[in-house]
Amino acid sequence: MIKNFIVSPSLLATDPLNFGRDVKMLEDAGAKWFHVDCMDGTFVPNFSFGYSTVSALRKFTDRVLDVHLMIDRPIRYVDHYIKAGADYLTIHVEADSEENTLKALELIKSKGIKCGISIKPKTPVSAIEKYLPILDLVLVMTVEPGFGGQSFMQDMMPKLNELKTLVDKVNPSCHIQVDGGIDVNTAKICKENGANVFVAGSACLKAEDKKAFITTIEQ
């Protein structure tokens, strides 16, 4: 199945004192998705947006809200993010038991929301294989999750390629997303290895011509 290339700008890279301005600026640049990183300070050593931010964004924009939960035992909170207006809700396979991970994914799907699962750099593709038939998105982290501005891990490309082969066989409509150190050059490398959704934070927000940045990757 042919899938479009999509840039999902990471709102973690926005100016917190000018959040609305930056969201509008990205909309004007052609952003179709927004990536919302939600961190709890437990699963990762940092805090960021919560479901109240998602709710505020939902009132402010009609773009796809691509919500990435970097939180411990996400089954406790997925319903809050669903009600807040997430379009895609991605949880980490490392964050809970297999039983609770499956329950969380099934709950997301039952509410008509797209469900995703993410894997850290040290987690193999085999860890998410059992969930793949119901997934709408798999996120491969190309940095260690928790902080923005890290360097791209090119050694994740064999994993990405392995995932692409598996997705093509099991669930061809599932998006393959990458997050971490994504710019025009690293996005090209990820495209060649099977990714079609690109989370771009610092590189996108700091680009002199944001529209050109988005268009170049989505071509």
Side-chain angles (χ1 to χ4, degrees):
M1 175 178 287
I2 297 173
K3 290 175 284 199
N4 293 333
F5 296 124
I6 301 165
V7 173
S8 186
S10 173
L11 299 185
L12 197 61
T14 57
D15 179 350
L17 295 180
N18 294 282
F19 189 64
R21 178 206 66 187
D22 286 357
V23 169
K24 182 65 167 61
M25 181 171 58
L26 290 165
E27 285 186 346
D28 291 344
K32 303 175 188 69
W33 290 29
F34 288 126
H35 190 79
V36 189
D37 287 308
C38 302
M39 309 181 199
D40 64 356
T42 299
F43 181 70
V44 291
N46 201 2
F47 291 94
S48 68
F49 309 124
Y51 50 82
S52 59
T53 303
V54 176
S55 181
L57 273 167
R58 183 74 292 160
K59 296 181 179 77
F60 189 76
T61 183
D62 61 359
R63 300 301 197 266
V64 171
L65 298 184
D66 163 31
V67 180
H68 176 196
L69 300 186
M70 287 177 269
I71 66 176
D72 188 49
R73 291 172 290 153
I75 193 169
R76 299 174 298 158
Y77 297 106
V78 292
D79 200 49
H80 291 286
Y81 285 95
I82 291 166
K83 290 174 180 175
D87 294 294
Y88 281 77
L89 195 49
T90 298
I91 63 175
H92 267 267
V93 71
E94 307 92 353
D96 208 339
S97 66
E98 289 185 14
E99 180 183 6
N100 282 344
T101 297
L102 182 58
K103 283 181 180 177
L105 293 170
E106 289 176 338
L107 173 60
I108 295 166
K109 292 285 277 191
S110 73
K111 301 293 186 177
I113 308 300
K114 305 289 188 183
C115 72
I117 206 161
S118 182
I119 49 177
K120 292 181 179 182
K122 292 179 182 177
T123 303
V125 170
S126 59
I128 60 99
E129 189 169 354
K130 61 179 69 67
Y131 309 110
L132 192 55
I134 68 168
L135 295 176
D136 299 291
L137 181 149
V138 178
L139 168 54
V140 175
M141 296 299 301
T142 47
V143 297
E144 288 293 341
F147 295 93
Q150 297 181 66
S151 298
F152 175 73
M153 298 171 69
Q154 190 160 341
D155 57 349
M156 292 298 103
M157 294 306 98
K159 179 194 289 189
L160 194 59
N161 205 285
E162 178 189 355
L163 176 62
K164 175 66 162 60
T165 300
L166 189 60
V167 165
D168 285 347
K169 186 186 303 181
V170 177
N171 184 359
S173 65
C174 182
H175 290 297
I176 298 176
Q177 184 178 66
V178 284
D179 181 2
I182 300 299
D183 57 26
V184 169
N185 295 322
T186 57
K188 184 175 184 293
I189 296 167
C190 292
K191 278 184 188 180
E192 292 167 353
N193 286 278
N196 77 295
V197 182
F198 308 90
V199 177
S202 304
C204 184
L205 267 294
K206 292 178 181 177
E208 188 172 333
D209 188 337
K210 295 168 182 58
K211 185 176 181 65
F213 178 92
I214 293 170
T215 302
T216 299
I217 293 177
E218 291 188 345
Q219 285 175 341

